[in-house]
Every structure is written in structure tokens, then in C-alpha cells.
Amino acid sequence: MPSVTATSRPVNEGWKFTHVGGGEVVKKDEWISVKKFPTTVHVELLEEKRIPDPFIGLNEWDVQWIGEAEWSFKTEFSVADEEASASNADLVFDGLDTFATVLLEILQANNQFVAHRVPVKDTLKSGTNELVINFASAFRQGREIEKQHEKLHLWNGDSSRLHVRKAQYNYGWDWGPVLMTVGPWKPIYLETYNARISDIDIRIDIPGNLTAHVDVQFTLDPPTKAKASVTIKKPNGNVLIGGTNIPVTDSGVAKFKLSRGVYDAWYPVGYGGQPIHAVEIEIADEQQNVLDSKSQKIAFRRARVVQDELIDQEGRTFLFEINNVRIFCGGSNWIPADSFLTTMTPDRYRAWLRLLVNGNQNMIRVWGGGVYEADAFYDICDELGILVWQDFMFGCGQYPAYDSFLKSVEIEAEQNVKRLRHHPSVVILAGNNEDYQVAESYKLDLDYSDETSDFRKTNFPARHIYERLLPSVVEKFSNIHYHRSSPYSGFGKPTTDKTYGDLHQWNVWHGSQEPWHNWDILAGRFVSEFGMEGYPNIRTVDYWLGGNKEERYPQSRTMNNHNKADGFERRLELYLVENFKHSFEIESYVYYTQIMQAETLASAYRLWRRNWKGKGREYTAGALVWQINDCWPVTSWAIVDYFLRPKPAYFTIKRELKPFTVGMTRKEKKTFPDELSAAVFTIETVLEVWGTNSTLSEKQATLEVTSFDLHSDWTDTWTKNIVLAPNSSTELFKGDLPGQPKRTKLSEIPKTIIVSARLLDKSGKVLGRYSNWPEPFKYITFPDVKELGLKAQIGSNGESVQLSTAKPIKGIILDVEGEEDVVWGDQAIDLVPGDPQVITTVGLKGREVKVRFLGDGTA
């Protein structure tokens, strides 16, 4: 047999699909040509304009039949003589959604997250070959499997989803529609070879001295006597180190040792560079004919999850350390960015992840109810320096653990660990999302002190997956830290414990529905979920209304369908009425929910970043907001809507995650001179000021604090030279609130004192600013708009706005008339006299700017 270099080519042309048995939309035996490949049925029917857009109005419910029908895809592809003459020929299916049969019965697939390699040497022929894939209804199949086993507890979606290895959000979630996708959702390839590199396993072990020990292991299929060359290349393409003439039969190993300084280390954004190296492997037979070659990107970094005892608080840290640097992780949770994932492109992923980095965030958590993301997602995270928290795909459920399910999960886990392990961005693998919380909620068999029982015999059988199967796979195939769940405390503690592990803090919005001002006492060691809902941009609202003006009010049926959260009306209104005077006119309702979300989330980051107090005192080491994105146009907890329009909360978080920030709290202190009396007391208002510094060097700066009385011309300013400790928060001031007299009666109305704090460098540049207002805002009597002296001046280039004022103003949001939107550099702005702010724009084009703010007199 002549030597043939391994080849791989996509089978992506000439695809057609049909509704098996036919119906009103696709007739019996009608085959429709697909517009692109890979694809799914909804996407193609939308392209053909045969179904209404499920993102508009109530159309979601008019396309449910698609997920319960059977579909078939087929194509013809030609095979050249040299391909047919290869020793081996495989069809590779990167992903089929979900229950699929490939004719002629060469493959039965039942897991969306699993790739399949099918030998077709004996069935392939030179010339034209036909490929047919039949897809059964995942929903109906799931219901049938559930009948064979049992109905299990869950939050969100149909209970049958727990038996189906498919993106769980397809079944509907508290932010997403029910859209059961179906089809060949990932590429299909024809690969021919005499021998191929079937696996590359690159382990980089970097101890505390930062010397890199690199093991490159690779496997040949089928085993073949050959020689290999392995080269590690620098980002510029020059050789860093390499080896040649490595003997190979079924596998080969190359080992390298690189001292600190020889290689360039990879760091998270804000802490250093992100140099990406490449490992190139070439296999040749004894006649020097190249059999196969492969390249894999890598980077050099030491990553640890540190759970040390704290100096002066109960519990342990839960923090990420990269190259011996402890990192405060300010970031977001990520859900699939579209209900139809085949529409996601590398450019869309880049736009989302660039938004994250531009928002001063450094971590993203890939949530366990979606998918293991596309390679492009992780490549971009590597490139941009984004740390990735990766869940396995189990979410909010009492999952089963019968044999066939476990076998499928094991294959899924192995494939995806192997696929992700070389990415420097991936620093933790978590077993699931909230499944232990489900077990706690339903009082399932869950004894945290029991580490030895056969959990498959309990009513929480998935502990076997999270505590036996997944950790063994992760340990065998990677060096990535494994965490049993998110949230998970460990050390025998429940998931709600705030002193160990990570925490989902939902007692703002869900749970006890605490005021957002209580974030400081709700803090955990690492808060991997928290959030507040807010409406998206009014243009996004108008998109889902589809021109139906009769539904353009907050409580309409269409509005309700585009907010999937249980009890959202009660919860939105609870937080609105506790804090604001607001109306139900739609533009105002959008404004007030957005300001509420912006204030809530900024407060969390501000207070929790204060808890990062240096080594041994990292009381809160991370905050990941739920969530950065949406999968369709909707009102949700997202800080950026489906169309990549940032909500005001995106900008308030961005300000709180700058390298240097200043924060304040005001709290009333009530003292009783006579311990037997409740009528005699004194109320003092205490102001506390702190600063943060995420850089690794101390920062000298000037703290400037100016206080204003909203209803008079009184002001007070003082300054202080300060030093911000590196990679830490620093307490700067504690004392009486300037201008606020002590009170001895509750009937005495406190003055409306606004305190503005700024950090200034030696040149006077503003490093960070924050204005602290008395709350709740509903108690404030705002001045007449004419008294404010607010100016919004367009810059000479038409792409900036300078804001200035004669009196403090809270919650400025800028907009323009018309459908053409503007990319704003900041929103939810607090403005005070003597501190003008310039807001950069893209697309303003000199147009007149509309300004909304609290107390602006708008209904």
C-alpha cells in the first residue's frame, strides 16, 4: 500500500433536509437545500421564511412542533481514487443534535456533546457516495426514556431533559425560550490515512520556582513504526525548543525543561501578556514519507485554586493564583449566546468576549446548562487573557446514574476534557450547576460526611458522577483543578455556607429577597452567581414586540413572554417600590429597572472587592455576575442584551473593576444614653471610605472628598495623601458624615448630603471616582430640573459628550432618537459640580442627546 499523508476535508456541500412524513410547512418527500452547513432545522426554516421568528411576540409557541417531529438530512459527496486507496477512511461527526441514525446503520448517536469517528473504508467507493442522517425527536425520546426509568426533581424545563444529553436550556429556562433544536450542529469530515495522530496530550507542570516541565505525548492510530519530530514555537514562529527522530510505534513522548525566563509566561488580562506558543508534531515512516502532522496551541502558566485558612475569620479562601500571583476574579457567567448555536461565528464570540475585557472583567464561567463551547470561544479567551471556569453540562437537576447514562457521560467527559485541557484560560472544571442545591432543597440523600457509599443506590445517584466519574476523568486526562459543583463548599458544609468554597448568592432577588444594600453581609469566599434583572435597550424591547403597539406596556402578554423568571413582576416591583418613585410608562419602566440593576450590581462588586485585603485576608476572592449575555431578546439578569447592547449595569461594573477604585458606605449609628429608655437616643451617620488597587505595586494618590447639600449651596472638601497597598483594598477614612447633624428624633428629616470621592494621581488625573447618595432614592426631593445647570455638549468631532452640572445628579443615561443606536463609553453616570465627565461615543454623528436621570420630571 503506497504511503498516504493523512488528510481531512469537510463534508459540507449539497446538504438537503426534510420533515419525515411531511406536514404543513414541509411537505412529504420535499427536500429543501440548506443555506449553510453545519445547521439545525429552525435556522433553515427561518432562512426559507417558512416559520415565524420565534424571537418575536408569542411566535415561540408556534414552532414547538419542530422539536417533536422527525427530520432527515442527506448529501452526496465524491471520493477521489487516492482517498479510496488509503488504508483507512473515517467519517468524523463532531456533533449531532441529538438522537441520530447514520445510514446504513453505521452510527447510532444519542449525545449532543459527543463526537463520533466511524470507519467507512469498506463502504466507501471511488466516485459518488450518499450520506443520510435521520434525527428522532429528542423531546419524545426523552419522555420515552423517562418512562423506562423514573421522573426526577429539577428546576426549569421538562423533567425528561435529565435523561437526555442535550443542551438543557433548549427545554426552556428562567431566561430562555423552549426551542428544541435538531440537526447536524457541528462539522462532518472525511478523513483518510495510513496512520494518523489520534491524540495529543501536552502536560505543562510549573512548580513554585516557575521552571516549566513539558511532556508532549501523542498516539498513533493504527500503531505504526515511525519517527516523530516535536517542536515548540514562540508566538513569532521562531523555535523555542524541539526534538527529532523520536521513535514511535503506538505512541511517543517528548520531554522538555524550560527555566524561568527562557519562556514567556501567560497571565490573565491586566497582569501581564498572553503569549501563545505552538507545539508542532510531524510523523514520518521509515522512508521519510510524512504520515501526519498536527499543531496545538499552548501557553506557559502555573494555575492553582488556593483554599488556605484565613488569618482572622472562620473558613478558608477560595481563590485563583496564576504564576504565584493571587487574582481577584471580577467577571460574568456565560450562557449560550443564541438559541440557535449554528449561527454563532468566531466574530460574534470575539465581540462578546471583547466586551467582557473592555468592561475590566477577567473571568467567565461557562454555565452547566448550555454546551461545552466552540473551540473559537476558548481560543479567544486564551488570546485575551480571560480565565475560564468551565462547568460540566449538568444543571439544576436530580440526574440519573444508570449504566447506559454513565457510559455516555464518561465518553462525553473524556472527549471534552481532552479538547479543553491545552487552553491556558481554562483553570477549573466544575461537576455541575446547582445540583447539590437541588438535593438540599428536595431533602435527597445527601450526607456530606459520607465519602464511601455507593451513591447510585441513593435518591441522589448523580453524586457518583460528580464525586467518582468526573474527577477520575479529569485527573487522568488533564492537570486542571476539579471542583464538585458550583456552588460547593466542601469540608462537610452545605452549599449555602459563606465561609468555604464558592457561593451562589441569590438572597437578593430569590430567597429571602434581601435589600441590595446588604451585599456586604451576604458575601462569600467566591461568589460565582448573583444578579438583578433589568430591561434591555428600548430598541430590543421594540424588536420583540414586532410593531404591536397595543402590547407596549410592562404587564402585557408579550412582555410577560419575554421575561421567563418565576414571579418576576413581584420581584421587580418589590425592589423598585422599595427604592424609587417610578411610573409604568414603558420608557420610564425600562429606565428605572436599568438603574436599579446598575446600582445593585455595582454595590456588590464595590463591597466584595473591599473584602480582598491581602494575603491571608482574601475574604472574598471573586464575583461573577449572573449573567453577561442572553440567548434571545428578553428581560433577564443579563448586563448586555442579545444584540450586544450593554445595559447601564455593564458600565457601573466596569467602573468598579478598574485597577484603582474608591468606595464608600454611610451607615446610621443609634445610641441610647439611658439603657432603660427607648425614647431618648442619638442618631449619627458614619461615613467609611476605602480604595482598591489591583496592580502589583503600591500606588500613591490623593483622596479628595467633597460633600454637597442637594438643597443649598453648602459644600465641604478635604484631601488626604494616601498609599494604596498592592493587590488589595486599603481603608482610608471612617468618621462623621460631613454636613449631617446628629438627630435625636425620628421626625427630624436628615439633610440630603451627597459625598463625592475621587482618587487623583500626581498630575491630577482621575484614577477612580464614586458618588455616595442617601438611600432609598424614593425619599429624596429632587431639585427642579431648571436649577441643576446640566449641560450636555457634543464634542467637535461629533463623537463625544461632555457632561457638567451645578448640582449633583444621579443616574444619567444617554440616548438618541430613532432606531440607529450609539455605542456609549459610559452610562448610569453620577455627576457633581466641579467634576465634568467626557463620554466617548461611536455612531453619535453629532446628533442631539437625550438625557434621563433620577428626578428629571419625566413620567
Side-chain angles (χ1 to χ4, degrees):
M1 180 69 65
S3 177
V4 176
T5 301
T7 64
S8 177
R9 64 178 175 91
V11 180
N12 58 5
E13 300 292 336
W15 283 93
K16 299 178 180 181
F17 75 104
T18 190
H19 178 186
V20 177
E24 292 184 10
V25 175
V26 181
K27 304 303 181 186
K28 186 176 181 180
D29 298 327
E30 179 188 11
W31 288 87
I32 303 170
S33 296
V34 306
K35 294 292 191 295
K36 65 173 187 175
F37 192 88
T39 192
T40 52
V41 170
H42 291 85
V43 172
E44 294 302 325
L45 293 179
L46 282 167
E47 287 283 346
E48 288 282 321
K49 295 182 171 51
R50 297 198 183 203
I51 58 172
D53 185 348
F55 291 176
I56 294 176
L58 306 179
N59 293 342
E60 168 193 354
W61 307 113
D62 292 333
V63 297
Q64 292 304 305
W65 62 273
I66 294 172
E68 298 191 13
E70 294 183 25
W71 300 88
S72 185
F73 287 75
K74 70 177 181 180
T75 190
E76 292 182 344
F77 62 99
S78 62
V79 175
D81 291 343
E82 56 269 26
E83 291 176 312
S85 67
S87 300
N88 301 280
D90 299 342
L91 278 173
V92 180
F93 303 84
D94 274 358
L96 300 172
D97 182 9
T98 292
F99 291 92
T101 302
V102 181
L103 305 182
L104 305 162
E105 301 296 330
I106 61 173
L107 173 64
Q108 293 279 348
N110 59 11
N111 186 324
Q112 182 181 1
F113 309 125
V114 167
H116 302 273
R117 175 177 292 273
V118 183
V120 292
K121 170 67 177 175
D122 294 339
T123 57
L124 207 63
K125 60 184 180 181
S126 295
T128 301
N129 294 259
E130 185 177 56
L131 178 59
V132 180
I133 312 173
N134 292 333
F135 290 89
S137 162
F139 187 84
R140 297 178 69 88
Q141 290 283 107
R143 284 281 183 93
E144 185 62 36
I145 297 169
E146 184 180 54
K147 283 171 60 178
Q148 297 168 16
H149 294 278
E150 59 181 323
K151 197 168 187 176
L152 301 165
H153 294 294
L154 79 166
W155 301 330
N156 294 298
D158 189 82
S159 59
S160 65
R161 72 173 174 82
L162 300 176
H163 298 270
V164 180
R165 298 311 296 148
K166 173 176 174 58
Q168 302 286 270
Y169 83 111
N170 289 167
Y171 291 80
W173 221 265
D174 55 6
W175 37 258
V178 180
L179 290 170
M180 295 288 289
T181 55
V182 55
W185 77 295
K186 285 192 173 184
I188 299 173
Y189 299 95
L190 174 65
E191 297 191 352
T192 56
Y193 55 93
N194 284 355
R196 68 183 181 92
I197 302 169
S198 60
D199 185 40
I200 301 174
D201 184 359
I202 303 169
R203 305 290 181 95
I204 304 175
D205 178 46
I206 303 179
N209 65 5
L210 300 186
T211 296
H213 302 266
V214 185
D215 281 12
V216 181
Q217 300 185 41
F218 47 94
T219 305
L220 278 189
D221 176 32
T224 303
K225 192 173 183 180
K227 297 283 187 180
S229 65
V230 178
T231 306
I232 302 178
K233 290 190 173 180
K234 298 178 181 180
N236 63 7
N238 293 337
V239 174
L240 176 64
I241 197 168
T244 58
N245 292 318
I246 301 167
V248 182
T249 302
D250 58 346
S251 63
V253 178
K255 296 179 180 288
F256 307 101
K257 181 179 179 180
L258 300 169
S259 299
R260 182 179 184 176
V262 173
Y263 65 88
D264 293 325
W266 184 97
Y267 284 88
V269 60
Y271 292 87
Q274 293 80 44
I276 305 299
H277 298 67
V279 175
E280 297 183 353
I281 304 173
E282 185 175 273
I283 309 293
D285 63 17
E286 294 177 307
Q287 288 75 43
Q288 301 301 308
N289 298 306
V290 175
L291 297 173
D292 197 5
S293 62
K294 288 224 171 14
S295 178
Q296 190 167 94
K297 294 179 180 179
I298 62 163
F300 295 94
R301 62 99 176 102
R302 181 175 193 250
R304 293 201 308 144
V305 174
V306 179
Q307 299 183 75
D308 287 346
E309 292 184 355
L310 290 157
I311 291 174
D312 52 9
Q313 284 191 14
E314 182 186 351
R316 292 177 177 265
T317 62
F318 190 95
L319 63 88
F320 292 85
E321 183 184 273
I322 308 297
N323 303 328
N324 300 335
V325 177
R326 297 187 171 197
I327 309 291
F328 180 89
C329 295
S332 292
N333 283 269
W334 171 270
I335 65 170
D338 208 295
S339 290
F340 306 125
L341 286 171
T342 60
T343 67
M344 289 298 296
T345 63
D347 285 345
R348 284 183 71 187
Y349 280 120
R350 183 172 294 278
W352 275 111
L353 295 169
R354 175 55 67 183
L355 263 176
L356 184 108
V357 169
N358 290 346
N360 296 321
Q361 299 186 36
N362 60 15
M363 176 174 267
I364 197 161
R365 172 176 170 246
V366 180
W367 167 75
V371 296
Y372 306 94
E373 274 297 348
D375 292 338
F377 176 93
Y378 303 100
D379 288 340
I380 296 166
C381 287
D382 293 344
E383 175 191 332
L384 298 181
I386 301 169
L387 298 174
V388 176
W389 175 310
Q390 175 70 52
D391 285 359
F392 284 94
M393 292 300 116
F394 302 88
C396 300
Q398 179 194 7
Y399 284 88
Y402 44 82
D403 289 348
S404 60
F405 190 84
L406 291 178
K407 182 178 179 181
S408 182
V409 167
E410 184 172 12
I411 296 169
E412 166 192 326
E414 178 179 332
Q415 286 190 6
N416 284 286
V417 169
K418 286 182 174 181
R419 182 168 69 93
L420 301 183
R421 64 189 171 193
H422 68 96
H423 289 282
S425 56
V426 180
V427 292
I428 187 170
L429 296 170
N432 63 83
N433 172 79
E434 295 185 353
D435 290 359
Y436 284 83
Q437 287 197 315
V438 169
E440 291 170 352
S441 174
Y442 287 102
K443 297 181 172 27
L444 304 181
D445 299 334
L446 179 55
D447 178 359
Y448 283 110
S449 66
D450 180 6
E451 296 279 338
T452 60
S453 291
D454 184 350
F455 302 129
R456 290 171 291 183
K457 296 179 180 178
T458 72
N459 60 12
F460 185 29
R463 278 191 78 181
H464 177 83
I465 297 174
Y466 312 139
E467 299 182 28
R468 308 279 166 75
L469 190 157
L470 293 179
S472 67
V473 169
V474 172
E475 182 179 18
K476 181 177 180 181
F477 295 109
S478 81
N479 294 335
I480 303 171
H481 179 88
Y482 178 77
H483 189 53
R484 286 180 176 175
S485 180
S486 182
Y488 193 82
S489 300
F491 303 95
K493 305 290 185 179
T495 60
T496 50
D497 188 277
K498 294 185 289 186
T499 60
Y500 293 88
D502 72 311
L503 176 72
H504 290 189
Q505 184 47 276
W506 281 108
N507 281 319
V508 171
W509 182 269
H510 291 299
S512 55
Q513 298 178 0
E514 299 286 326
W516 74 65
H517 316 86
N518 289 354
W519 283 127
D520 51 353
I521 62 175
L522 296 171
R525 297 295 175 236
F526 192 106
V527 186
S528 48
E529 279 192 24
F530 67 100
M532 172 60 70
E533 279 204 348
Y535 264 74
N537 188 294
I538 191 65
R539 295 167 182 81
T540 301
V541 175
D542 285 335
Y543 177 89
W544 77 55
L545 288 172
N548 188 345
K549 294 182 179 179
E550 293 182 357
E551 293 285 290
R552 203 174 186 266
Y553 63 96
Q555 309 99 315
S556 74
R557 189 183 301 273
T558 302
M559 292 293 192
N560 277 18
N561 195 58
H562 287 261
N563 189 331
K564 300 294 188 178
D566 287 343
F568 70 86
E569 296 107 330
R570 296 191 299 275
R571 293 171 188 181
L572 278 175
E573 202 52 40
L574 168 69
Y575 285 100
L576 284 171
V577 78
E578 282 186 344
N579 293 283
F580 301 96
K581 294 174 283 190
H582 76 91
S583 77
F584 284 87
E585 183 271 329
I586 187 60
E587 279 84 1
S588 287
Y589 203 74
V590 167
Y591 169 80
Y592 280 103
T593 64
Q594 288 182 347
I595 285 294
M596 176 176 69
Q597 183 190 41
E599 289 290 315
T600 302
L601 301 182
S603 175
Y605 282 95
R606 186 181 311 121
L607 292 168
W608 293 341
R609 199 169 167 193
R610 184 187 191 184
N611 286 346
W612 180 259
K613 294 181 180 291
K615 191 169 184 178
R617 293 186 173 89
E618 300 99 337
Y619 307 126
T620 301
L624 308 181
V625 70
W626 185 268
Q627 67 225 56
I628 192 172
N629 62 327
D630 279 323
C631 67
W632 74 318
V634 68
T635 295
S636 76
W637 298 273
I639 60 172
V640 181
D641 74 28
Y642 172 77
F643 296 109
L644 288 122
R645 294 175 173 133
K647 299 179 187 178
Y650 168 86
F651 297 99
T652 60
I653 293 170
K654 177 180 179 179
R655 296 198 292 266
E656 296 301 334
L657 289 175
K658 291 177 67 176
F660 307 104
T661 70
V662 60
M664 291 181 281
T665 60
R666 69 173 78 194
K667 295 192 177 181
E668 291 188 344
K669 179 182 178 183
K670 197 173 187 180
T671 57
F672 297 87
D674 181 353
E675 64 181 17
L676 300 179
S677 171
V680 180
F681 54 81
T682 300
I683 299 175
E684 303 171 86
T685 306
V686 178
L687 179 71
E688 296 184 9
V689 186
W690 67 91
T692 69
N693 173 10
S694 65
T695 74
L696 305 182
S697 302
E698 68 176 30
K699 182 68 175 179
Q700 295 185 0
T702 298
L703 171 66
E704 177 195 84
V705 178
T706 304
S707 302
F708 304 87
D709 182 344
L710 189 61
H711 300 111
S712 77
D713 294 330
W714 175 89
T715 63
D716 175 81
T717 300
W718 56 269
T719 62
K720 177 183 179 182
N721 292 328
I722 55 104
V723 177
L724 298 176
N727 199 15
S728 176
S729 66
T730 302
E731 297 298 314
L732 301 177
F733 173 81
K734 182 176 182 180
D736 292 339
L737 177 71
Q740 190 66 268
K742 296 178 181 179
R743 293 185 289 149
T744 58
K745 297 178 182 178
L746 290 176
S747 58
E748 293 180 81
I749 306 300
K751 292 184 177 182
T752 306
I753 303 295
I754 291 92
V755 186
S756 169
R758 300 196 301 173
L759 295 177
L760 308 172
D761 69 8
K762 291 179 180 179
S763 69
K765 177 184 176 182
V766 178
L767 301 174
R769 58 161 62 88
Y770 169 58
S771 292
N772 181 279
W773 283 64
E775 298 186 49
F777 304 119
K778 66 182 180 181
Y779 288 163
I780 298 175
T781 301
F782 291 97
D784 188 280
V785 173
K786 297 177 182 178
E787 300 175 14
L788 296 177
L790 173 63
K791 295 181 180 178
Q793 296 179 314
I794 308 300
S796 59
N797 65 353
E799 292 297 345
S800 66
V801 182
Q802 178 169 295
L803 299 172
S804 61
T805 184
K807 283 186 174 292
I809 299 177
K810 178 73 183 173
I812 294 174
I813 293 182
L814 306 175
D815 203 355
V816 292
E817 293 287 353
E819 294 183 6
E820 186 180 354
D821 203 359
V822 174
V823 178
W824 302 98
D826 204 0
Q827 290 282 27
I829 301 153
D830 293 346
L831 198 63
V832 297
D835 187 19
Q837 298 184 44
V838 176
I839 313 304
T840 59
T841 68
V842 176
L844 179 59
K845 302 175 184 176
R847 288 179 287 170
E848 183 180 354
V849 174
K850 299 192 301 180
V851 184
R852 286 295 309 261
F853 51 88
L854 292 188
D856 62 8
T858 305

